[in-house]
C-alpha cells in the first residue's frame, strides 16, 4: 500500500511527488511515456519566476532528478482504470494507495484531416524541437497561432530554408514578443485566415492545400494547435466538463474524496508551468493533511 499514487510525471505530478517525499510519504509515480510532459518541447521558458531562461527539457530533467534523489519510485506503465477505493489498474499491475493525484496533462490536438495519422514521421510532426533537424534547408509549414506555433517557427527558421506560418485568423493567441520576432525573420511567411484542407502525398508529405485552394509545396508540417485532455478512463471517479477536463472543487479536489487533479488536465483559467507547479504542491499538501488526520 502506497500513501500516494501520482498518475503522470509532468511538472505538476513531479511537484506533488517532491512535496510528498519530503514529508516522508511512500509515493509511486506512474508514467505512460517519458517524464516531463509537454514542457520538454518548450525551447525556452522565460516566464518562470526566478529563472531568467531555461529550456523545457532542462527544467523537466532538473525536477525529475530532484525527485529521484529523494528515492521516488517511478514505474513506466499505462493506467487503465482507477477505482473509487483507490486501486489503480495498469497494463502490468494493480496498486493501492491512500490518496491519488491525477496529473495526466494533455496531448497534442490533431487537425483531424485525412492522412494526418498516416503521414506522422513522414512529413507530419507535432514537435519542432524533436524533428526540426530532419528539415535542414527544406521548406516547412507550422500551423497554429499560440506560443507553441510562434516558438516552433522561430526554431525552424534557423534550420529550414523557408517556414510558412499558417493561422486560421489574423490575431494571435501567442505573446506579442514572439510574434514581432517571427515577423522580423526574412524566411518566415505568414499565411493568415487559412486552414489546411488536405495533406498531399502518399508515403511522404509533398504539399498541403489551403481552403482558398492554394497548394503549398512543403517537406514538413508542424502541427501546433494546442492540446486536449484524455480523461475518459477517469469518468467513474471525476466529473468532466464538455471539453473533457476534470472539474475540481476547493482548488484541486475532485468529487471523490482523496482523489485530486492537478495541472493542465483540470478545468482552470490559466494553463502555465507556474500554475501546474502550484497545483502539484497544493494537492500533495492537502493529501498529506487528510491522511494524517
Ligand atoms: P494555444 O495557446 O491553445 O493555441 C492554439 C492555437 O491553435 C490557437 O491559435 C488556435 O486558434 C489554433 N487552433 C486550435 N485548433 C485549431 C484547428 N483545428 N485548426 C487550426 N488552428 C487551430 O496552444 P499552445 O500554443 O500549444 O500553447 C499552450 C499553452 O502553453 C499556452 O498557455 C502557451 O502560452 C503555453 N506555452 C508557453 C511557451 C513559453 O512560455 N515559452 C511556449 C509554448 C507554449 P485560435 O486562435 O483561432 O483559437
Amino acid at each position: 500500500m502506497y500513501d500516494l499514487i501520482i498518475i503522470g510525471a509532468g511538472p505538476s505530478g513531479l511537484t506533488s511527488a517532491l512535496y510528498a517525499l519530503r514529508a516522508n510519504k511512500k509515493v509511486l509515480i506512474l508514467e505512460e511515456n517519458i517524464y516531463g510532459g509537454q514542457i520538454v518541447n518548450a525551447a525556452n521558458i522565460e516566464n518562470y519566476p526566478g529563472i531568467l531562461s531555461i529550456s523545457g527539457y532542462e527544467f523537466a530533467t532538473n525536477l525529475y532528478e530532484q525527485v529521484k534523489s529523494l528515492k521516488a519510485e517511478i514505474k513506466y506503465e499505462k493506467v487503465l482504470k482507477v477505482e473509487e477505493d483507490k486501486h489503480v489498474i495498469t497494463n502490468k499491475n494493480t496498486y493501492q494507495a491512500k490518496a491519488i493525484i491525477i496529473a495526466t496533462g494533455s496531448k497534442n490536438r490533431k487537425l483531424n484531416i485525412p492522412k494526418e495519422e498516416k503521414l506522422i514521421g513522414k512529413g507530419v510532426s507535432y514537435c519542432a524541437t524533436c524533428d526540426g533537424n530532419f528539415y535542414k534547408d527544406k521548406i516547412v509549414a507550422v500551423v497554429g497561432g499560440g506560443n507553441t506555433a510562434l516558438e516552433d517557427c522561430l526554431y525552424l527558421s534557423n534550420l529550414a530554408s523557408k517556414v510558412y506560418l499558417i493561422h486560421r485568423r489574423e490575431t494571435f493567441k501567442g505573446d506579442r514578443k514572439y510574434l514581432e520576432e517571427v515577423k522580423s525573420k526574412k524566411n518566415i511567411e505568414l499565411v493568415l485566415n487559412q486552414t489546411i484542407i488536405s495533406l498531399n502525398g502518399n508515403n511522404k508529405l509533398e504539399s498541403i492545400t489551403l481552403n482558398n485552394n492554394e497548394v503549398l509545396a512543403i517537406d514538413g508540417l508542424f502541427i501546433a494547435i494546442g492540446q486536449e485532455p484524455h480523461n475518459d478512463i477517469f469518468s467513474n471517479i471525476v466529473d468532466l466538463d464538455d471539453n473533457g477536463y476534470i472539474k475540481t472543487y476547493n482548488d484541486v479536489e475532485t468529487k471523490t474524496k482523496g482523489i485530486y487533479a492537478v495541472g493542465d488536465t483540470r478545468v482552470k483559467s490559466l494553463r502555465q508551468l507556474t500554475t501546474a507547479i502550484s497545483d502539484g504542491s497544493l494537492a500533495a499538501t492537502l493529501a498529506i493533511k487528510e491522511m494524517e488526520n
Side-chain angles (χ1 to χ4, degrees):
M1 163 84 92
Y2 290 93
D3 290 316
L4 184 61
I5 291 179
I6 298 163
I7 306 172
S12 61
L14 290 175
T15 302
S16 290
L18 179 67
Y19 274 65
L21 289 162
R22 285 171 59 87
N24 216 16
K25 298 297 169 199
K26 191 172 182 222
V27 177
L28 172 64
I29 304 167
L30 294 168
E31 168 59 49
E32 183 182 352
N33 297 309
I34 55 162
Y35 70 83
Q38 297 281 343
I39 200 69
V40 293
N41 298 327
N44 284 304
I45 301 165
E46 293 180 353
N47 61 357
Y48 193 83
I51 298 178
L52 285 182
S53 180
I54 189 167
S55 76
Y57 178 76
E58 193 183 352
F59 181 90
T61 303
N62 286 348
L63 181 53
Y64 175 77
E65 293 298 338
Q66 195 174 13
V67 168
K68 284 286 277 184
S69 74
L70 295 170
K71 313 254 177 303
E73 205 177 324
I74 304 183
K75 291 183 193 274
Y76 290 88
E77 298 179 20
K78 183 177 165 67
V79 172
L80 303 177
K81 199 169 187 332
V82 176
E83 306 284 8
E84 204 176 326
D85 65 2
K86 300 179 191 65
H87 273 93
V88 178
I89 300 145
T90 74
N91 56 335
K92 293 186 183 155
N93 289 298
T94 297
Y95 304 99
Q96 192 172 19
K98 294 176 191 159
I100 290 169
I101 295 178
I102 301 171
T104 44
S106 51
K107 294 199 165 68
N108 294 316
R109 182 176 289 129
K110 302 261 167 40
L111 282 172
N112 286 324
I113 54 175
K115 296 193 187 169
E116 185 175 358
E117 290 283 334
K118 183 180 161 190
L119 293 174
I120 293 174
K122 295 170 184 159
V124 170
S125 169
Y126 298 85
C127 178
T129 48
C130 321
D131 298 332
N133 226 27
F134 298 123
Y135 297 92
K136 270 188 185 151
D137 303 319
K138 299 201 167 166
I139 301 174
V140 299
V142 174
V143 55
N147 277 332
T148 305
L150 296 175
E151 267 200 354
D152 285 0
C153 277
L154 293 171
Y155 180 77
L156 291 164
S157 71
N158 293 323
L159 296 164
S161 59
K162 174 157 186 115
V163 182
Y164 292 104
L165 172 56
I166 300 162
H167 182 35
R168 64 183 178 185
R169 66 180 84 236
E170 261 172 56
T171 51
F172 285 80
K173 254 188 176 173
D175 294 357
R176 181 180 293 263
K177 173 180 174 277
Y178 291 132
L179 181 59
E180 292 309 320
E181 231 179 299
V182 162
K183 285 181 174 168
S184 75
K185 295 275 181 181
K186 287 206 169 59
N187 64 341
I188 301 180
E189 181 178 332
L190 268 59
V191 180
L192 303 180
N193 298 314
Q194 293 298 324
T195 54
I196 300 171
I197 57 168
S198 75
L199 305 175
N200 314 316
N202 279 325
N203 295 319
K204 180 179 154 300
L205 180 69
E206 287 164 6
S207 66
I208 52 174
T209 307
L210 305 177
N211 62 303
N212 62 0
N213 288 324
E214 191 184 347
V215 176
L216 296 179
I218 57 169
D219 301 292
L221 173 67
F222 291 85
I223 299 171
I225 58 169
Q227 282 83 40
E228 53 195 9
H230 290 259
N231 286 323
D232 291 350
I233 58 162
F234 305 121
S235 60
N236 59 321
I237 45 162
V238 302
D239 291 327
L240 301 179
D241 79 354
D242 291 344
N243 296 316
Y245 291 98
I246 298 173
K247 290 186 185 174
T248 50
Y249 312 95
N250 301 323
D251 291 322
V252 289
E253 294 172 0
T254 68
K255 73 170 184 186
T256 306
K257 199 170 159 58
I259 298 185
Y260 306 82
V262 298
D264 283 5
T265 206
R266 76 178 182 96
V267 176
K268 63 197 306 196
S269 51
L270 184 64
R271 291 194 174 84
Q272 293 270 294
L273 185 56
T274 46
T275 60
I277 298 289
S278 161
D279 281 4
S281 52
L282 182 59
T285 305
L286 292 177
I288 292 162
K289 214 173 184 180
E290 181 69 34
M291 65 186 85
E292 287 180 350
N293 262 344

